[in-house]
Amino acid sequence: MSTDKRTITVRAPVNIAVIKYWGKRDEKLIIPLNDSISGTLDMEQLCATTSVAISPSFKCNQMWLNGEEVDMTANERLFRCIQEVKTMVGTSQWPADHHLQIASRNNFPTAAGLASSAAGYACLMYALCRLFGVDDAERISTLARLGSGSACRSVYGGFVQWVAGTDHQSSIARQILDEEAWPSMRVLVLVVSDHRKDTSSSSGMKSSVETSDLMKKRVQDIVPQRITQMLTAIKERNFHDFAEITMRDSNQFHAICQDTYPPIHYMNDVSWSVVSLVHYFNKLYGCNKVAYTFDAGPNACLYVLENVVPELLALITAIYGKSESKLEVQGIEYKKHPELNDSLQKYAVVNACPGALKYVISTKLGTGPQVLSTSFDANCLIEESGGIKNNDV
Ligand code: PMV
């Protein structure tokens, strides 16, 4: 392979866990204490985009995240991920006098509990590996795991299981179903806050492992059963069971946060009002029509089947819309919201919380990462002469 200036631009998706990863057995290698399962979201609405360029004319390694330069040596995991690729490809492909420039950006709030690190690391490792001709998904996923555990799941589309394993080789993600296999599955992300979270997932889970008694029960007894049940629900497209397991697992994850000492608090009053709304809606229909799940932040992710979305959005708008029942919905559009029935109408009036949501992202399941370009074209975030493009500042 030529050692001249080379570049690649890729995009990678966010994933939202329905069985949560929370706790490591190995901090350095990021081996989790339990298996987890997630859905990969469509990149049209939520993705990280990363350009990587390598050249002997670049003076040093540099990286920009959302237009801001970051100190690559200060971030141990980032540094390690890059070193791993360097070792893997060797000096014939990555000579000592060649430097990297990396520019990455998200089209959604960074570190707001929207799995930005998962998309970011999946994107970076996919870009770096593909730049050097490595396209083995399992290898890329394993490298992405070293940056941010959940990133290993973002290397695949559809529903994905991260098998905890016990060491670097056995801790791997694999696809359960591709993005087309349950075509009516939709996801609504209710953005409660786009501020950075107070407790990072890394320090939060470390603290839970050290102090939570519930954690042991979860890891030993509960998750193994739930994984089996969830795999069956997904393979049989059984939404009712899928939803119950998803909600129970989210609740247990946040119970563990509360059982951590000192306790960790990710959900807020608006998050809890979404929990009540979903249970009310499901009870009214006598079966689960919607499932909520919350990561390390207050935003709600709702898994829901397509035919339920218009009514659900009408209810969400009636409760959380600002003036004149308006609520911005980005992404997949639906036909005009139907009139709410009397019960839902009453619920919306009693529980009105105008302005509590910033906006809603309407999306569905999507594919794993994609290459957008392999030249310094309009997709590339880096100038051919080095540095980020002005429009990325
Ligand atoms: O991969 P991390 O370190 O960002 O941890 C992710 C933890 C959760 O989002 C809360 C759960 C999960 O499985 O994604």
Side-chain angles (χ1 to χ4, degrees):
M1 191 182 283
S2 143
T3 53
D4 289 331
K5 190 173 288 183
R6 275 176 294 150
T7 188
I8 192 166
T9 300
V10 312
R11 61 177 188 161
V14 161
N15 71 75
I16 299 292
V18 291
I19 304 275
K20 305 294 185 192
Y21 146 56
W22 196 250
K24 301 178 180 72
R25 82 161 63 210
D26 185 319
E27 287 280 331
K28 197 151 178 270
L29 292 173
I30 312 201
I31 314 294
L33 281 167
N34 59 264
D35 284 23
S36 53
I37 294 180
S38 58
T40 296
L41 305 189
D42 192 341
M43 290 187 282
E44 285 309 304
Q45 282 77 43
L46 294 161
C47 71
T49 303
T50 301
S51 295
V52 177
I54 187 164
S55 167
S57 67
F58 297 154
K59 301 265 175 313
C60 57
N61 293 333
Q62 272 180 295
M63 179 169 179
W64 297 265
L65 180 58
N66 293 319
E68 301 267 326
E69 185 162 2
V70 292
D71 180 357
M72 289 170 76
T73 50
N75 186 331
E76 212 180 296
R77 288 211 201 135
L78 175 67
F79 186 75
R80 168 129 196 252
C81 282
I82 294 171
Q83 286 307 312
E84 287 281 334
V85 177
K86 205 167 182 175
T87 311
M88 177 175 80
V89 300
T91 49
S92 60
Q93 288 207 71
W94 190 334
D97 64 343
H98 282 48
H99 290 109
L100 270 189
Q101 298 226 328
I102 302 168
S104 187
R105 64 172 144 80
N106 300 325
N107 63 354
F108 57 92
T110 301
L114 277 180
S116 57
S117 63
Y121 273 104
C123 206
L124 174 62
M125 299 323 278
Y126 192 79
L128 270 176
C129 287
R130 293 294 298 260
L131 183 73
F132 294 107
V134 176
D135 62 2
D136 173 19
E138 192 170 309
R139 209 156 178 200
I140 299 172
S141 170
T142 301
L143 286 167
R145 195 195 75 227
L146 297 176
S148 170
S150 56
C152 70
R153 299 186 309 235
S154 273
V155 173
Y156 301 94
F159 280 108
V160 181
Q161 177 179 8
W162 175 11
V163 179
T166 50
D167 58 17
H168 190 48
Q169 267 69 44
S170 59
S171 188
I172 51 162
R174 60 184 181 210
Q175 190 176 60
I176 303 166
L177 282 187
D178 73 22
E179 62 287 351
E180 306 282 331
W182 197 345
S184 53
M185 186 62 89
R186 294 288 176 272
V187 178
L188 298 177
V189 182
L190 312 191
V191 180
V192 174
S193 155
D194 52 7
H195 295 129
R196 292 181 81 89
K197 58 196 176 197
D198 294 336
T199 312
S200 73
S201 46
S202 277
S203 68
M205 64 179 83
K206 188 163 188 280
S207 186
S208 295
V209 173
E210 285 162 3
T211 64
S212 166
D213 297 324
L214 283 182
M215 184 81 168
K216 295 169 191 76
K217 172 95 182 141
R218 170 172 171 77
V219 168
Q220 280 164 19
D221 301 339
I222 297 169
V223 175
Q225 279 182 35
R226 266 190 197 151
I227 290 281
T228 310
Q229 290 162 353
M230 183 57 105
L231 288 173
T232 307
I234 290 175
K235 284 176 186 158
E236 292 177 352
R237 315 320 186 245
N238 178 339
F239 189 82
H240 180 78
D241 288 0
F242 167 84
E244 178 162 342
I245 305 164
T246 299
M247 293 187 281
R248 282 181 179 276
D249 202 71
S250 173
N251 293 342
Q252 187 172 72
F253 156 48
H254 291 279
I256 283 183
C257 289
Q258 191 145 11
D259 187 47
T260 300
Y261 194 81
I264 309 165
H265 181 85
Y266 289 125
M267 293 170 68
N268 64 17
D269 288 350
V270 182
S271 319
W272 284 108
S273 81
V274 174
V275 170
S276 303
L277 176 164
V278 169
H279 284 292
Y280 180 82
F281 193 85
N282 288 340
K283 195 166 173 208
L284 196 71
Y285 280 101
C287 67
N288 294 328
K289 296 270 182 189
V290 192
Y292 55 77
T293 185
F294 297 82
D295 278 344
N299 302 319
C301 279
L302 305 183
Y303 279 90
V304 53
L305 295 181
E306 190 180 12
N307 61 346
V308 179
V309 179
E311 186 174 46
L312 182 63
L313 271 180
L315 178 62
I316 290 169
T317 304
I319 297 175
Y320 301 106
K322 289 183 201 133
S323 56
E324 297 156 19
S325 305
K326 287 265 185 317
L327 181 63
E328 184 190 342
V329 179
Q330 302 173 0
I332 302 174
E333 287 182 33
Y334 291 84
K335 277 192 262 126
K336 206 178 143 358
H337 301 164
E339 288 284 309
L340 293 175
N341 65 33
D342 282 354
S343 306
L344 293 177
Q345 187 65 52
K346 270 192 206 126
Y347 185 88
V349 170
V350 173
N351 294 284
C353 212
L357 292 186
K358 299 213 158 158
Y359 54 96
V360 174
I361 303 168
S362 161
T363 187
K364 58 184 170 66
L365 297 182
T367 67
Q370 287 168 347
V371 174
L372 297 176
S373 107
T374 52
S375 67
F376 290 93
D377 63 7
N379 284 310
C380 186
L381 307 176
I382 297 170
E383 296 283 2
E384 191 161 0
S385 53
I388 50 168
K389 286 189 178 159
N390 272 337
N391 59 8
D392 194 44
V393 179

